[in-house]
Amino acid sequence: MQLPRGRFDRFVQDGTISGIVKELGETGYSGRCSGTVEESVVEIVFDNGAIILAEYSSTNGADAVNKFNSDPGSIFSAELSFYTPSELKLASEFNPKCIVTKEVPVTVFPGTQEKRRSVERVAEKKVKEPEPEMKDTAGPGDSCEIFIDESEIESIVTNFRSGARDLLKRINLDHLIINDKSGEDEDDKH
């Protein structure tokens, strides 16, 4: 899985996979739990205690959850990191194949059933709804054109030049100022 780093929470050494998952579910954890079971890499993302993404070796989604539920006593050393709502959204967007969409009874904790259903609805919408096309909605009166007459342009240019000259003099770069009409440096006149 491609997951954001998150904010480090803690390491869990030699826990059981079922114990860690149960604890994170009951406490309403939102973040990443990554580690190893024997030599297999396990990645689990929780949102308020519900497992929303899972990967166990090459198995993804609900199948990965079923795989680590099949051996709940497995020794699991894990690193936990908190996620913000935007990091949770990013993790889901980058890992659509790892979204847990099926009900997995062993890992369902109080209040997580509704959360899992909302994740399923979001996943279904992303698959079904095509991106809307951008249309040009500008009308005849919505133009951003600005009309300035020639005298206003000349005034703007004059104000800019005098401001630039003052700035160059203040920072001791007045030797760079070129006289408008003759094209020679002001120092040459002295």
Side-chain angles (χ1 to χ4, degrees):
M1 273 197 277
Q2 295 178 337
L3 295 171
R5 181 176 293 180
R7 191 180 86 235
F8 177 76
D9 179 21
R10 62 190 158 111
F11 283 111
V12 178
Q13 289 286 71
D14 300 327
T16 63
I17 196 161
S18 63
I20 293 171
V21 168
K22 182 177 180 182
E23 174 195 338
L24 297 177
E26 289 174 345
T27 59
Y29 192 77
S30 289
R32 171 186 188 175
C33 174
S34 59
T36 57
V37 173
E38 296 168 3
E39 293 184 17
S40 300
V41 175
V42 176
E43 296 278 355
I44 308 168
V45 176
F46 292 85
D47 185 6
N48 292 323
I51 296 176
I52 59 169
L53 299 171
E55 182 178 64
Y56 188 123
S57 292
S58 59
T59 310
N60 300 316
D63 294 333
V65 175
N66 287 331
K67 187 172 180 179
F68 63 71
N69 282 336
S70 67
D71 192 10
S74 298
I75 301 299
F76 185 46
S77 296
E79 176 186 335
L80 305 177
S81 298
F82 292 115
Y83 276 180
T84 63
S86 59
E87 288 172 320
L88 288 169
K89 181 180 177 194
L90 193 65
S92 295
E93 288 174 358
F94 274 86
N95 301 289
K97 65 181 181 180
C98 297
I99 292 176
V100 178
T101 56
K102 298 176 185 174
E103 292 300 321
V104 185
V106 177
T107 58
V108 173
F109 300 101
T112 61
Q113 199 100 349
E114 200 52 46
K115 188 68 170 176
R116 182 164 288 121
R117 285 192 195 110
S118 69
V119 170
E120 287 176 5
R121 285 191 290 269
V122 169
E124 288 171 6
K125 279 185 179 180
K126 285 185 180 180
V127 172
K128 292 179 184 178
E129 293 179 7
E131 290 290 319
E133 292 184 28
M134 298 299 289
K135 296 180 183 176
D136 185 16
T137 58
D142 295 341
S143 177
C144 291
E145 294 178 24
I146 299 173
F147 296 100
I148 301 175
D149 64 27
E150 198 168 319
S151 66
E152 289 179 47
I153 292 174
E154 201 168 307
S155 172
I156 292 170
V157 169
T158 303
N159 289 340
F160 178 77
R161 283 185 181 153
S162 68
R165 280 191 185 113
D166 290 342
L167 179 64
L168 287 172
K169 286 178 184 178
R170 273 194 250 154
I171 59 174
N172 296 325
L173 295 175
D174 52 340
H175 63 278
L176 298 175
I177 298 173
I178 298 175
N179 191 343
D180 292 346
K181 298 180 181 35
S182 66
E184 56 188 42
D185 288 346
E186 284 190 0
D187 290 340
D188 293 342
K189 293 198 281 185
H190 300 288

